[in-house]
């Protein structure tokens, strides 16, 4: 079993900051990609930021320059620092971890339960 748990959501005014944290635990041999997605009401889930075990990162155009993803491989954690928040950033944010449970085994994507981020204008 693999568990992915997020924390750090909440309510903030426009222009403010929040930091989301995520930890994967359980039967893990290795983790390739970890990242953050978000889903606003009536919208599809979209990638916000992602990172690989080698440290490469990618961001949605809408968050570039405002959000920063960081990862600690040894701890199986990934954080998302969100600055200059806008009302359109309001969504449920989900963490993902692409986990291999044994040497040479396939990677499966595991999701957290989601954490609400609300930005008021």
């Amino acid at each position: 079993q693999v568990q992915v748990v997020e924390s750090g959501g909440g309510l903030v005014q426009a222009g403010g900051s929040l930091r989301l944290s995520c930890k994967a635990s359980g039967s893990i041999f290795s983790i390739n990609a970890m990242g953050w997605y978000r889903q606003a009401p009536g919208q599809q889930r979209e990638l916000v930021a992602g990172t690989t075990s080698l440290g490469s990162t990618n961001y949605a155009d809408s968050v570039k320059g405002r959000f920063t993803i960081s990862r600690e491989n040894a701890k199986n954690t990934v954080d998302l620092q969100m600055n200059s928040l806008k009302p359109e950033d309001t969504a449920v944010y989900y963490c993902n971890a692409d986990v291999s449970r044994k040497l040479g085994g396939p990677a499966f994507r595991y999701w957290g339960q989601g954490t609400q981020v609300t930005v008021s204008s």
Side-chain angles (χ1 to χ4, degrees):
Q1 292 281 13
V2 175
Q3 297 80 40
V4 177
V5 179
E6 305 107 334
S7 62
L11 173 64
V12 65
Q13 288 188 333
S17 299
L18 280 175
R19 188 175 184 89
L20 305 183
S21 297
C22 171
K23 181 173 178 63
S25 62
S27 180
I28 297 171
F29 177 78
S30 65
I31 302 178
N32 185 6
M34 294 187 81
W36 291 91
Y37 285 70
R38 68 186 180 189
Q39 188 168 19
Q43 303 294 321
Q44 289 189 332
R45 190 174 296 190
E46 62 175 2
L47 175 68
V48 176
T51 180
T52 70
S53 58
L54 298 180
S56 63
T57 59
N58 61 294
Y59 295 90
D61 288 342
S62 59
V63 307
K64 285 180 181 177
R66 300 187 298 123
F67 291 11
T68 303
I69 190 169
S70 59
R71 176 174 172 175
E72 289 195 51
N73 289 334
K75 296 182 178 180
N76 293 335
T77 60
V78 63
D79 290 354
L80 185 68
Q81 178 65 41
M82 305 185 294
N83 298 328
S84 301
L85 282 160
K86 304 175 181 179
E88 51 263 43
D89 295 317
T90 295
V92 178
Y93 284 68
Y94 296 91
C95 175
N96 78 276
D98 293 351
V99 175
S100 294
R101 298 179 64 183
K102 61 182 180 180
L103 178 64
F108 294 97
R109 175 157 292 185
Y110 293 86
W111 293 95
Q113 78 286 354
T115 185
Q116 177 70 45
V117 171
T118 303
V119 184
S120 63
S121 57

